[in-house]
Structures are given as C-alpha cells and as structure tokens.
Amino acid sequence: AVDMSGLSAAQKKKLKKKMKEKEKAGAAPAAAASAPKKESAVAKKIREAQAKMRAEEEALRLRREEEERAAKEEEEKLLEEERRKEEARRRKRDKEKAKKEQMRKDGTLLSKTEKEKAKRAGVLRDQLIASGQVPSAADAGKPKKVVYDNRKKKKGKTLEEEAADELAALEVAKKEPAVDEEETGESWEEPEVKEPEDAPVEAEQSEDDVGDDWEDEDWEEKADQIVVGPMDEEDAPEVKSKKEIEAAAKADEEARKQAEEKAAAKAKAKAAKEEAKEQARLERAKKAKANQARKAAKAAANESESSSEESESDSDSDSDDSDASDEETRARQRKDMALRRALVIKRRRDKIKTAMAARSRDNLRAPIIAILGHVDTGKTKILDKIRRTNVQDAEAGGITQQIGATFFPIEAVKKEADKLNDPEMEYKIPSLLVIDTPGHESFTNLRSRGSSLCDVAILVVDIVHGLEPQTLESIELLKLKRTPFVVALNKIDRMFGWEAHPGDPSKGSIESQKKHTQDEFWRRVDQIKLEFAEQGLNAEVYWKNQDQKRTISLVPTSAITGEGIPDLLGLLVKLSQGMLVDRLMLCEALRCTTLEVKVIDGMGTTLDVILEGGTLTEGSTMVVCGLNGPIVTTIRALVTPHPMKEMRVKGQYLHHKEIRAAQGVKICADGLEHALAGTELFVAEEGTEDELDYLKGEVMKDMQTILESVSKSDLGVYVQASTLGSLEALLEFLRTSKIPVSGVNIGPLHKKDVVKASTMLVRKKEFAVILAFDVKVESEAQEIADDLGVQIFTADIIYHLFDQFTKYMENVKKKRKEEASLEVNFPSIIKIIPQYVFNKKDPIIVGVDIEEGVLMVGTLLAVLTNDKTWLDIGRVTSIERDKKSVTSARRGESVSLKIQGKPSDNVAYGRHFDHTHTVASRMTRKSIDLLKENFRDELGKDDWVTVVKLKKMFGIA
C-alpha cells in the first residue's frame, strides 16, 4: 500500500489512476498467456484433413479385414458343406449296397418281369411232371455230378418260343439213350449263377447299360435253382433217374451258395474300394490339384450310376429317379465349380500373402515416377537433359502426344546427385522409372493413367506463368490418388539478368546471381506459394522445407542449362528411400498395368506395360482386357529400350527371356488388336481352365469405365490414331463436340478403313470423314477415298486436327443452312397496323407489330380467314426498320414489310383480309424438321413455344 498522507485530493486521485493502469497492464499479459492460442484456418483445415485421412485409412483397414474374414468363412463353409454331402452320399450308397446283397442272398432280387417268367416256368414244369414226360423228384435215380457250361443263353426269345424249345428238348431226351456226365459235358442248369458276381461291376456303368444288363440276366434260370424247371434247347441234358435229378439239384444249390458268398465278398471289397476312392477325392479337393475338375466329373458320374441302381430296383419309378439323379448331378457340378473357383482364389491370395510377407526393407524396387504439368512447361526437356537425348525436338509441334517411360540406372542418377556433396546421401534403390505424360488438355486420360501408376510424381510448373489449367488438373489427380509429389519450378533461366551455371545445383546458382535477379526469383516464388495456398497446399523451396510430409518441396530448375537437375534427382532419391520404403519393398506377386497399345512396324500390335511387381517370362500365358472380351494369348517377346532411352521412340530394343520389376516393358503377342490400355494384366501360373476362367472375370471388371471413352454408334465419323491413348483423346474431343463416331482403329490407314467410312455416304454424307492422327495413309487408301468422296483429315499435332475438323463442320452447317433456307419458315405471329397500309396488293406493303417469334426475310405468311381456313398471302421479300433494311425482326419490334404474292392468286388487303385477321408464318412438318436440324441454335425457348403454338393452329401432327 502506498502512503497518501500529506497529499492533496487531486494528487491522490492521480496516484490511484496510475496504480489502476499498472494493474490492468500486468493483468493483460497473464490473461493472454492463460488464454488458449487461436488456431489458424490453414492449421485447422490441415488438422481436419489429417483426421479425415486417418478415419478413412481405419475404415479401409476394417473393411479389408471384414472382406478377408467373410471370404475365409465362405471357403470354410463350402468345404464343410462338401464334406457333409459326400459323407451322406457314402452312407446312402453303403445302405443300398447292403440291402441289395441281402436280397441277392435271399434270392429275392427279381424284377416284375423275371418273377412272371419264373412263375410261368414253374407252371409248365408241373404240367410236364403231371403228364409223365419228366420224372418227378421221388422217381429220380442216382444223383450225378453237375458240370457247368460257360456258354451264354440266347436272348430275345418270346415266352411261346421258350416253351416250344423246352418241349422239343424233352422229346429229344426221351428218344436219346442216357449218357454219362462225361459224355454230355453239360449241366442241368444254365451257368448263369455267376451273374451276382457281376452285379457290383454293373453299378459302375451308365443308367442305360444297367437297364440292358437287368433285362439280359437269365432270371428264369435263377428261379429254376429253387424249383427244377424245364431245360433250354441247347443245354438240355439226358435224364436218367430220380437220383440223378436230386444230385443235380443239390450240386446246383451248393454252387449257387458258393457263388453268392463270392459275390458278397466281392461287393464288400468294391464298397471299401469306392469309400477309399471318395476319401481320396476329398483329399485332392483340399490340396486343390490341377485335375480337380476331372475328378469331380468322375465322382458325379459314379453318383449318377449309383442313383440308377437304386432306380432300377423299382421298375415303376425308374424314370422319376433318373430325372432326380440328373438334377442332383447338375447341382453337385455347380457346387464343384464354385468350390474349384474358391480354391483358385484362395491359392492366389495365399501366394500374394506369402509374397507380401517375404518382402524386405533391404530389397527395394525402382520407384515409378510420373512427370505431370501443363503443355510447354518443359517436362520432356527436363528428361532430355538427364538422358542427354533430344526427344522433345523430334516431336511434332514440340509437344508430347503419347505416354512414354524411361529407365534410369542408379549409376546415372548418382552421377548427377553427387554434385550436391551431401555426405548423408545413400542409394538403396536400384534405379528410377519415369513416366512422361502429355500436357495438352485433350490427354486427360493419359495424365490420369500416369498418376494412377506412379509412387511419386514431379509436377513441372513454369515459374513465369504459375499454375495453369492442366497444372491444376494434375494437382487434383494427385490429391485424388493421394500421391506424394515434388514441384520442379522450371525456366529459372528466364529471370532478368540470369547468369547460367550449367549442371550446377540450383541453391548455389541462385545465391551467385545479382541482387535484382534474386529479388525477381523470390518474388515469383512467393507468388507461386500463394497460388498453391489457394489450392489448400503449403509449399516451400526444398532447402527451407522442414516438414516433407506436410509441405511440398519446390525445386528450382532449368531444362536448358541443367541447373537444379542434381537437386531434383537427389530429392527424389531421398523421398523414395525415406517416406516410401514400405511401398517400394520388392514383392514377387505379379502386378502389371497396360500403359499403351501401339502398332509397330515389324512387331505388329504391341503392349507397353509398367511392371510394378513380380516377374514376366517369355512364353507365359497372359490375360488382358479387350474391347470384345478378355484376350488370352502367349507372350511372344519381351523387349525394353536401352537404359536412358525413351520407350515411345522407335529404336533398338533389348530382348529378355525374363524381366523383374520395376520396369517399362513392351510385350509382343498375337491377338492384341482390341486390347484396352489402362487395365491390369494377369499371367496364368497354373494354366488350368478354372484359373483362366477366374482371370477372365477379374480382367474385365474395369471394362465399363474404359469403354465409356471408346463407345461407338451406327452413325458418325471414322477415327484412326497411332495409339489407344491418342484415340481416347480424339474421342473425348468428339464427345464434347457432340459428334458421333461410327468406327475406330489403331495403326496405318488402309483400304478397308476407307471402305468402312464410305458407308456414311448413303446415310449422312457429312460424316463420310476419316480423322487420321499421327498415322501413315497408304497410297491405295488415298486413291479410293478420292474416288468415293471420303474426306481424310491428317495431322501430327492433335489440335491441328481439331481445327481442321471444326472448320469442316462449320462449312457443312453453313451449306446445309443455305439449302434449307429456301424451304424453312421461322415461327412468327404478327399484327397489321391499320394506319400504316401503304400498298394493298402486288406487292402488299404494310406496317406490322411482331407479337411472337422471329420474322425472317423469305418467310411465307398466311392469314386465318373468316371461314377458319388459312390463306397464303405471299413471301416477305424485305424488312425495314427506321428506314433501314434488315434481315429479321423479333418479338416487340415494329417494322415495315414488303409481301410478294403469286400473280395468279391476286390476294389484296381489304378484300381477302384486313388488320383484324391473324397473320402468321405458314408452318409445315418439313419446315419444323428443318428448323430442328439446322437452326436449333438460332431459336430461343420462346421461339420454340411459338412453334408449338403454330403447330396446333395449322393442325400439324
């Protein structure tokens, strides 16, 4: 407390005021320190973007885990269901076999037909015994040993024929003397007791074979084993006595029992064998061998035969059982197919998982780098400086119009990057693979394709012009794909007073410039940083960038002097080895994407591909997406350009038997004419039919997206290009111009292409046009085009071709309008001003108000008379407004008209019509159609409303 004694009131008041001000001044910093720091808008946006990114990554991870879990559960469910079905089928077969064996032992396994035959044979036997022609069992003599013959009984005889044969045999037996068993060599019974042994074997045949064998078995002989019956004509023995008959019956019974026991043992062995076979089939299914399909088909056939055995046991329902068996077989085959497909998927996923698990941070592949930017910013020129080539000067118009790739060995990269004198620089990657993309606005598809393939990108920006339209488009593509990128601030040598230091790092080169040059450079850098900030991105020159993950690095470069090239390569190496190690770990699982489809002289149609992972081998079977469906072909050759050479430039190629990732490869194979670029390429590892069917489905998944740019119609122009990427750019231009396309092709223009385009001459003449971009026109094709009247537009620069075709279409429209103007009537409704009637006939000159529509010179006018009919009064030959001639008058305007009618009509104002009558343009169906075809863009919405009104007034359908 301050002692205020001895102070006046004014002094005390002044002192208190100072003390309060000090207290407030001390409290303000404390409050500021305690108050939370306000977050900037940029920081908040970045934080929200990071949170959103983390949430998306987490959601993606959870979704992938859920998909993997669901796929695993589905596979386990399929396997368990198959095991359960197989077990049920096995139990059913065992039960049926046991039932049949018991029936065979009991002697009751007879069909209705055999039972009737046995009954009739017994009745005949009783009749013969009663008549005394055959001795009874009581009168039988000494039994004789039965000898079984192996001859088979004749088939196909009717019951009457069989009875006649038996009676004839008995008459022979009566007349012939008795002979000993050694002399006859034949038995009392037909040797068909072996039939039960063959029954299990018959179960392996088809349903038709089983049915035939069922009818072929001698069931009458089986019946005669129980009761002694008549004999066959061929097998009838001599009958001596009662004992012989009893002995024969006893021996026959013993032989039958032995045969049945043998058949039962054989059936049991067969059942065990079938069970082992089924178990082996299940084991093969689990191991997923290549011949799974054939084994499943065989199992289905066995099941069908087992079902046929069951159906034959009941002759009244055999057809129903057969149908059910067929349906069950088909259902089982469908399940087997689904199971085999699931096993193929599982094997491929397991191989991918194994390959991913085998990756190592010490074994990296080359990073794939895409170079993007606006046209004429120096993208190809930068690569030329690194490669020491001159690709850019050789291109038509000096602009890139194809997508290409260049392989940079790490030795060449190291040679440039070592100029930075960075002791911490390491080289763990084997090389760099750079994809060069076009910058012209029409090649959006190629820029998108390049950005989708790359691990990191170089965005080339002209330091003088800043961010241009295709630069902004490239930024959006990179943000969409979440691809890290660095910015090459090119053309720094265009700063006023710049002193070049060829091949030096840009930092030292900038510091050595004069002050006004440095000032201009930093001013332009600040302007570009501001433009990046407008796109929501932070940017800083790379040597000042402390946070590579959140801030884009700007690398000043000059493609002319080579300054900044060491900085750019060194930064790419550091970025790849630092932030992208997990992505660049070499994976043995194949990952290959088609980049371009080209026709090369001496090679035919080839595929330019980017091999991102795995290995390609010459002679392998590959599957690629095609315009008309999946293409399955064999790799004929694998070629690459020499290191530091551009793939799209024709030259000497290196041939490879095998090539590993990452690399740009040209594939030569048959049947690639309709292949689609931008799709994934697969290689069949096993070569089985199931694997190929699965790969065909996988490769066609993205077909709809690709085909949107190459869709065709029955009416339109014909387009020819050197590559599929150029073709897509042409088609995009035609689509935005609303020009239909009837046919497309890749490669040189031949006679057949001209013939296809000539079909438009009879359908729509203006579409009998061929747009040929960067292709050779054969002399024969040009001659035929001249004879037929087909126009061919050729250009090496795409926008030159656009200009030619645009000018052609404008001339076509102009000519068509001139031809239609003689017959077309523009819609208008006018009212005559009675005080401005200057001449009543030949010609009629009146003043009018335009109430609706637009009145044009040449319009035929009609008036609605009192009897509700329309009278033509003549055509408008001239229009004047404010004493000046005009060609048209619109709604709300007052003009003077000169109307010239036909002399024969002799129409006059005041006699045929006056100002009270409605005057309008004479509309017809043809006139309306001509307006739609040729003058749609010249009429507004109100004018079309007038057309509809006049259409009703004139009663036009």
Side-chain angles (χ1 to χ4, degrees):
V2 179
D3 186 10
M4 295 186 182
S5 58
L7 299 176
S8 64
Q11 290 174 334
K12 290 180 180 180
K13 186 176 180 180
K14 191 174 183 180
L15 183 59
K16 287 180 181 180
K17 186 177 180 181
K18 288 182 180 180
M19 291 174 65
K20 287 181 181 180
E21 289 177 354
K22 288 182 180 180
E23 289 176 359
K24 288 181 181 180
S34 61
K37 186 178 180 181
K38 185 177 180 181
E39 190 176 25
S40 66
V42 175
K44 182 179 179 181
K45 190 172 182 181
I46 292 174
R47 180 177 54 77
E48 291 175 352
Q50 290 174 343
K52 185 178 179 181
M53 187 185 303
R54 286 193 293 270
E56 290 176 354
E57 290 176 350
E58 181 66 19
L60 180 61
R61 184 184 64 80
L62 294 175
R63 186 162 62 252
R64 285 179 179 170
E65 290 179 355
E66 181 64 23
E67 290 175 355
E68 291 176 358
R69 184 187 63 76
K72 186 176 180 181
E73 290 179 355
E74 183 65 22
E75 291 174 13
E76 293 175 352
K77 186 177 179 181
L78 287 171
L79 292 173
E80 182 62 29
E81 180 69 16
E82 183 66 20
R83 285 195 293 268
R84 188 180 65 80
K85 291 290 185 182
E86 290 295 334
E87 183 65 23
R89 287 195 290 269
R90 186 185 63 79
R91 289 197 299 267
K92 183 178 179 181
R93 284 195 297 272
D94 292 346
K95 184 177 179 181
E96 292 299 324
K97 286 183 182 359
K99 181 179 178 181
K100 289 183 178 66
E101 290 303 322
Q102 185 62 37
M103 291 175 67
R104 289 192 184 97
K105 290 180 181 179
D106 298 340
T108 59
L109 189 61
L110 302 175
S111 69
K112 188 181 294 184
T113 304
E114 277 69 37
K115 289 177 181 178
E116 291 177 355
K117 289 175 68 176
K119 185 177 180 181
R120 286 194 294 271
V123 172
L124 182 60
R125 179 188 56 79
D126 293 341
Q127 291 175 352
L128 293 173
I129 292 175
S131 63
Q133 296 180 12
V134 177
S136 64
D139 300 331
K142 184 179 179 180
K144 296 177 66 177
K145 182 179 179 181
V146 180
V147 179
Y148 293 93
D149 192 359
N150 289 328
R151 289 181 298 167
K152 292 198 174 182
K153 186 176 178 180
K154 294 182 180 179
K155 305 176 186 178
K157 294 184 177 181
T158 63
L159 291 176
E160 289 79 10
E161 291 174 342
E162 290 175 355
D165 292 342
E166 291 169 355
L167 290 174
L170 289 175
E171 291 295 328
V172 173
K174 282 184 178 182
K175 294 177 181 179
E176 293 181 359
V179 294
D180 202 59
E181 62 181 1
E182 289 81 2
E183 297 174 336
T184 61
E186 297 191 358
S187 65
W188 178 261
E189 298 285 337
E190 183 75 11
E192 292 297 321
V193 294
K194 293 184 179 180
E195 286 296 323
E197 297 180 16
D198 299 331
V201 179
E202 293 167 1
E204 298 296 328
Q205 302 172 357
S206 65
E207 294 182 11
D208 295 338
D209 295 338
V210 172
D212 294 339
D213 293 342
W214 183 278
E215 296 296 335
D216 292 342
E217 288 188 30
D218 194 353
W219 292 99
E220 184 175 357
E221 292 291 340
K222 294 182 181 293
D224 291 342
Q225 293 173 5
I226 302 172
V227 290
V228 180
M231 296 143 301
D232 188 74
E233 180 180 15
E234 296 179 4
D235 303 325
E238 290 285 342
V239 181
K240 290 185 177 182
S241 64
K242 176 181 176 182
K243 291 182 178 181
E244 289 177 350
I245 296 174
E246 289 179 347
K250 185 176 181 180
D252 180 62
E253 182 68 17
E254 290 176 355
R256 186 180 64 79
K257 289 183 179 179
Q258 290 176 359
E260 288 177 349
E261 290 174 357
K262 187 176 180 180
K266 195 167 184 179
K268 186 175 181 181
K270 182 66 177 177
K273 184 178 179 181
E274 288 182 349
E275 182 176 357
K277 186 187 294 184
E278 292 297 324
Q279 186 65 28
R281 196 184 71 80
L282 286 175
E283 290 297 323
R284 286 193 298 273
K286 293 178 182 178
K287 295 179 181 180
K289 292 184 178 180
N291 59 351
Q292 185 66 30
R294 293 190 296 273
K295 295 296 181 182
K298 184 177 180 181
N302 291 339
E303 181 64 15
S304 176
E305 291 169 10
S306 299
S307 300
S308 66
E309 260 194 319
E310 179 185 357
S311 64
E312 288 294 337
S313 65
D314 188 356
S315 60
D316 295 333
S317 61
D318 56 348
S319 62
D320 295 338
D321 292 343
S322 177
D323 294 341
S325 176
D326 291 343
E327 182 62 30
E328 183 180 353
T329 301
R330 286 192 293 270
R332 186 170 60 257
Q333 289 175 347
R334 288 194 295 269
K335 290 183 179 178
D336 288 342
M337 186 180 296
L339 177 63
R340 294 195 301 271
R341 181 181 176 85
L343 291 172
V344 169
I345 297 173
K346 184 177 185 300
R347 286 197 301 272
R348 292 189 69 89
R349 287 181 177 174
D350 289 344
K351 289 180 181 178
I352 293 174
K353 289 181 181 178
T354 303
M356 294 294 287
R359 297 186 306 163
S360 170
R361 298 175 72 91
D362 296 329
N363 186 17
L364 304 181
R365 64 169 172 83
I368 301 172
I369 304 167
I371 185 164
L372 306 168
H374 194 76
V375 64
D376 200 31
T377 54
K379 301 181 294 297
T380 307
K381 202 69 176 177
I382 289 176
L383 295 179
D384 277 340
K385 198 66 180 179
I386 304 173
R387 295 182 301 226
R388 292 180 172 80
T389 58
N390 199 22
V391 173
Q392 191 262 341
D393 290 342
E395 292 177 321
I399 64 172
T400 301
Q401 300 178 104
Q402 296 179 15
I403 192 167
T406 305
F407 178 77
F408 291 96
I410 195 63
E411 293 78 12
V413 176
K414 185 177 180 182
K415 184 178 179 181
E416 289 291 333
D418 283 348
K419 295 178 181 179
L420 296 173
N421 297 322
D422 188 351
E424 298 180 359
M425 178 70 74
E426 296 181 353
Y427 301 94
K428 298 179 182 179
I429 55 177
S431 56
L432 297 179
L433 181 61
V434 181
I435 300 174
D436 189 11
T437 63
H440 192 273
E441 61 180 346
S442 300
F443 293 97
T444 302
N445 58 317
L446 297 185
R447 284 190 294 275
S448 176
R449 195 172 299 158
S451 63
S452 300
L453 291 172
C454 67
D455 302 307
V456 62
I458 302 172
L459 182 65
V460 182
V461 176
D462 188 335
I463 193 172
V464 177
H465 297 147
L467 303 187
E468 298 175 275
Q470 269 58 63
T471 310
L472 298 176
E473 178 196 280
S474 300
I475 291 174
E476 292 302 319
L477 287 172
L478 294 171
K479 288 167 68 176
L480 180 65
K481 307 293 172 50
R482 301 177 66 179
T483 303
F485 65 95
V486 298
V487 175
L489 277 182
N490 200 27
K491 303 185 181 181
I492 58 173
D493 56 299
R494 295 183 64 182
M495 301 295 101
F496 181 75
W498 185 269
E499 295 179 359
H501 297 79
D504 285 359
S506 58
K507 181 180 179 181
S509 182
I510 293 169
E511 291 174 350
S512 65
Q513 301 298 320
K514 296 178 182 178
K515 185 177 183 305
H516 67 85
T517 304
Q518 293 188 36
D519 292 342
E520 182 184 359
F521 169 78
W522 288 112
R523 178 176 59 79
R524 293 188 181 277
V525 168
D526 291 340
Q527 179 62 32
I528 288 175
K529 287 165 61 176
L530 178 61
E531 293 180 11
F532 272 109
E534 291 173 353
Q535 303 300 317
L537 299 171
N538 295 326
E540 186 57 84
V541 289
Y542 79 94
W543 60 81
K544 294 183 179 180
N545 189 358
Q546 302 298 321
D547 190 351
Q548 297 282 350
K549 292 184 178 180
R550 293 179 174 84
T551 304
I552 300 168
S553 295
L554 306 178
V555 183
T557 60
S558 172
I560 301 298
T561 65
E563 292 168 285
I565 299 298
D567 309 66
L568 184 62
L569 293 176
L571 186 61
L572 288 173
V573 171
K574 283 187 176 181
L575 185 63
S576 301
Q577 296 176 167
M579 296 172 55
L580 305 174
V581 173
D582 293 338
R583 187 169 180 173
L584 296 182
M585 289 191 293
L586 183 61
C587 180
E588 293 301 328
L590 181 70
R591 188 180 176 193
C592 186
T593 304
T594 58
L595 197 65
E596 189 63 281
V597 182
K598 294 182 181 179
V599 178
I600 304 294
D601 292 340
M603 292 186 179
T605 306
T606 63
L607 284 184
D608 289 351
V609 302
I610 295 297
L611 181 61
E612 302 174 62
T615 304
L616 283 176
T617 306
E618 186 177 304
S620 300
T621 300
M622 71 174 188
V623 185
V624 67
C625 180
L627 191 64
N628 301 322
I631 298 172
V632 181
T633 185
T634 302
I635 298 176
R636 194 172 67 239
L638 295 171
V639 299
T640 62
H642 287 264
M644 307 277 285
K645 298 295 181 182
E646 173 59 63
M647 180 186 288
R648 67 175 182 264
V649 178
K650 184 180 178 182
Q652 295 296 322
Y653 292 104
L654 298 175
H655 289 258
H656 305 267
K657 293 291 184 182
E658 183 178 277
I659 192 164
R660 291 168 61 86
Q663 181 64 277
V665 187
K666 186 180 290 292
I667 297 178
C668 302
D670 297 328
L672 299 178
E673 290 78 11
H674 298 99
L676 289 177
T679 58
E680 195 166 357
L681 182 147
F682 293 96
V683 170
E685 298 175 357
E686 301 172 1
T688 61
E689 185 177 349
D690 293 330
E691 184 185 27
L692 288 176
D693 289 341
Y694 166 70
L695 294 180
K696 288 178 184 178
E698 287 294 305
V699 82
M700 297 302 290
K701 282 185 176 179
D702 298 331
M703 181 179 179
Q704 188 60 37
T705 304
I706 301 297
L707 286 184
E708 286 178 357
S709 61
V710 292
S711 59
K712 299 179 292 183
S713 63
D714 295 333
L715 192 71
V717 300
Y718 196 87
V719 181
Q720 192 96 359
S722 57
T723 67
L724 183 61
S726 303
L727 179 64
E728 290 172 333
L730 278 171
L731 293 174
E732 178 63 20
F733 162 73
L734 295 173
R735 186 186 65 81
T736 54
S737 302
K738 298 182 180 179
I739 304 296
V741 176
S742 62
V744 297
N745 204 356
I746 297 174
L749 187 66
H750 297 288
K751 173 183 174 182
K752 62 178 182 179
D753 302 309
V754 177
V755 173
K756 290 179 182 178
S758 66
T759 59
M760 293 298 113
L761 290 169
V762 295
R763 304 180 68 183
K764 204 164 185 180
K765 190 174 181 180
E766 59 265 29
F767 286 154
V769 174
I770 298 177
L771 301 182
F773 171 64
D774 195 24
V775 295
K776 179 184 177 183
V777 180
E778 300 291 342
S779 58
E780 186 181 11
Q782 186 65 58
E783 292 174 1
I784 293 176
D786 294 339
D787 293 340
L788 296 177
V790 176
Q791 293 218 34
I792 300 177
F793 295 109
T794 61
D796 294 334
I797 303 174
I798 194 165
Y799 56 79
H800 288 178
L801 191 63
F802 292 168
D803 294 342
Q804 291 180 35
F805 184 69
T806 302
K807 185 177 180 181
Y808 165 77
M809 290 305 297
E810 289 175 354
N811 293 333
V812 168
K813 289 181 179 179
K814 184 178 179 180
K815 185 177 180 181
R816 199 163 53 193
K817 285 182 179 181
E818 290 175 354
E819 294 174 352
S821 62
L822 301 176
E823 300 183 36
V824 71
N825 279 330
F826 283 81
S828 64
I829 300 176
I830 63 177
K831 184 175 180 60
I832 299 174
I833 305 173
Q835 60 268 31
Y836 294 109
V837 178
F838 303 106
N839 197 30
K840 294 186 177 182
K841 65 175 184 178
D842 295 332
I844 301 172
I845 302 176
V846 292
V848 298
D849 289 330
I850 310 298
E851 293 187 338
E852 293 185 41
V854 54
L855 182 64
M856 304 285 289
V857 172
T859 301
L860 178 62
L861 296 179
V863 63
L864 185 61
T865 61
N866 295 329
D867 56 357
K868 302 303 181 183
T869 60
W870 289 93
L871 174 66
D872 293 341
I873 61 176
R875 289 189 179 275
V876 178
T877 57
S878 66
I879 304 174
E880 285 190 3
R881 182 176 59 242
D882 298 332
K883 296 183 180 182
K884 292 180 181 179
S885 294
V886 294
T887 58
S888 64
R890 290 196 165 271
R891 179 180 180 178
E893 295 181 356
S894 297
V895 294
S896 176
L897 304 182
K898 180 181 180 181
I899 305 170
Q900 186 69 53
K902 293 181 180 179
S904 58
D905 293 343
N906 199 22
V907 178
Y909 177 84
R911 182 171 41 163
H912 296 94
F913 67 97
D914 58 21
H915 68 280
T916 61
H917 292 80
T918 300
V919 182
S921 301
R922 164 66 81 171
M923 299 303 295
T924 61
R925 167 49 58 191
K926 185 176 182 180
S927 180
I928 294 174
D929 292 340
L930 289 173
L931 284 173
K932 290 179 179 178
E933 292 176 8
N934 304 298
F935 302 96
R936 185 183 294 272
D937 54 343
E938 297 183 17
L939 297 179
K941 185 176 179 180
D942 294 338
D943 298 329
W944 286 109
V945 171
T946 306
V947 171
V948 175
K949 185 176 180 180
L950 291 175
K951 182 179 174 183
K952 294 178 180 179
M953 292 170 63
F954 285 96
I956 301 172

